Amino acid sequence: MLAYLNALSTVFAMAVFFGIVWWAFSKHRKQANEEAANLPFAIPDEAQSNKKEVNRP
């Protein structure tokens, strides 16, 4: 009986995994994925902020 439970839980976990992967790469998520991919570039550079602090009198 325990073997069936282990097999069933493995199949369930695999189905959930593939469901999440399908959802993450679906066409409806394309815009959100592109926005998330560009988030690191929206942060101001640290080098520019350090230069401003150094130039202060």
Side-chain angles (χ1 to χ4, degrees):
M1 183 68 179
L2 187 60
Y4 289 118
L5 184 60
N6 284 338
L8 186 62
S9 64
T10 300
V11 170
F12 178 73
M14 205 163 66
V16 169
F17 173 76
F18 286 125
I20 291 172
V21 169
W22 175 77
W23 170 78
F25 291 104
S26 67
K27 289 182 181 179
H28 301 291
R29 299 272 314 151
K30 185 175 181 178
Q31 183 179 2
N33 288 342
E34 288 176 355
E35 288 176 9
N38 289 323
L39 278 177
F41 302 112
I43 299 173
D45 290 336
E46 292 177 4
Q48 290 177 355
S49 64
N50 287 340
K51 287 180 183 177
K52 290 178 184 176
E53 290 177 8
V54 171
N55 292 335
R56 290 184 181 172

